[in-house]
Amino acid sequence: MPLDAEDISRLYADHARGVLRFCARRTFDAETAVDLVAEVFALAFEQRRTFRGSVEAERVGWLYGIARNVVGTHHRRGDVHRRAVARLGVERRELRPEEFERIEELAGLAELRARVAAAMTTLPADQREAVRLRVVDELDYPEVAQRTGVSEQTVRARVSRGLRALERQLDTGPPSTGAGRA
C-alpha cells in the first residue's frame, strides 16, 4: 500500500535518529550524516507512492534500504550533493559544536573509528592502500591506479575486497525495527 505524507512524517519522527546514527557510522562525519538523512527522507517522500508493503517492519526496511543506497551513492561520488536540501528549499545551517559532538556520541564514532583503524591493519597491504586512497583520501579510481601503479580494474577489485573484509569484521548492519528511538 503506498505511503502518504503523514506516513513519511511518522517514519521521520520514529526513525530519523536511527537513520542519523546509521549514516554517521558509515561516514564518520556528523555534518555529512545530517546531509544524508535529509537526502534519505527527501527520497522517501518522493518515492512514497512506490512503497508496496503493509506493516511497520516493511516500512522501516524500505527506509533503511533508501539510506543504504544514499550512503552508497555518497561513497561512490566521494562527496555529498545537497540535492535534498535544495529540493526542499531549506537553507542548510552549520551544526553547532555541541550538536556535532552529540551526533558523534550518539553514533559511537570514537569507538567505531578505533575499530576501523584496527580492522584496516588486518587488510593485505595492497587492499589497505587502495581503500585509504579511495575512501579516506577520496581520490577517484584513475588517480588511485596511477599512484599505485596498477590498472583501474585492479584498484576497483582491491577497494571492493577491502571494503567487504572491513564490513565483515565490523558487522554494522542496520538497527532492528525498535532501534529508531534512542
Side-chain angles (χ1 to χ4, degrees), residues 17-65:
R17 183 176 263 188
V19 172
L20 177 63
R21 197 170 31 250
F22 178 88
C23 293
R25 292 182 64 91
R26 282 153 182 81
T27 62
F28 297 99
D29 182 72
E31 289 193 42
T32 298
V34 169
D35 288 344
L36 294 177
V37 169
E39 178 76 9
V40 167
F41 282 96
L43 285 171
F45 183 79
E46 287 176 355
Q47 298 172 8
R48 68 191 180 279
R49 290 183 180 92
T50 66
F51 178 76
R52 296 291 176 245
S54 59
V55 297
E56 181 66 12
E58 291 170 325
R59 288 183 186 102
V60 173
W62 175 75
L63 182 64
Y64 277 94

Side-chain angles (χ1 to χ4, degrees), residues 106-124:
L106 179 68
L109 293 185
E111 183 265 337
L112 185 57
R113 283 186 184 104
R115 287 179 53 210
V116 169
M120 283 285 287
T121 66
T122 68
L123 294 178

Side-chain angles (χ1 to χ4, degrees), residues 77-134:
R77 287 186 183 152
D79 66 338
V80 175
H81 298 281
R82 295 180 183 10
R83 294 186 323 234
V85 176
R87 276 196 306 266
L88 295 173
V90 175
E91 269 192 50
R92 182 179 177 265
R93 71 169 179 84
E94 295 298 315
L95 292 177
R96 294 188 313 267
E98 62 272 11
E99 291 171 320
F100 185 83
E101 290 170 11
R102 178 63 180 134
I103 292 169
E104 289 207 342
E105 177 188 319
L106 179 68
L109 293 185
E111 183 265 337
L112 185 57
R113 283 186 184 104
R115 287 179 53 210
V116 169
M120 283 285 287
T121 66
T122 68
L123 294 178
D126 60 347
Q127 290 178 15
R128 183 173 51 248
E129 181 68 0
V131 169
R132 184 187 66 75
L133 291 170
R134 175 68 183 119

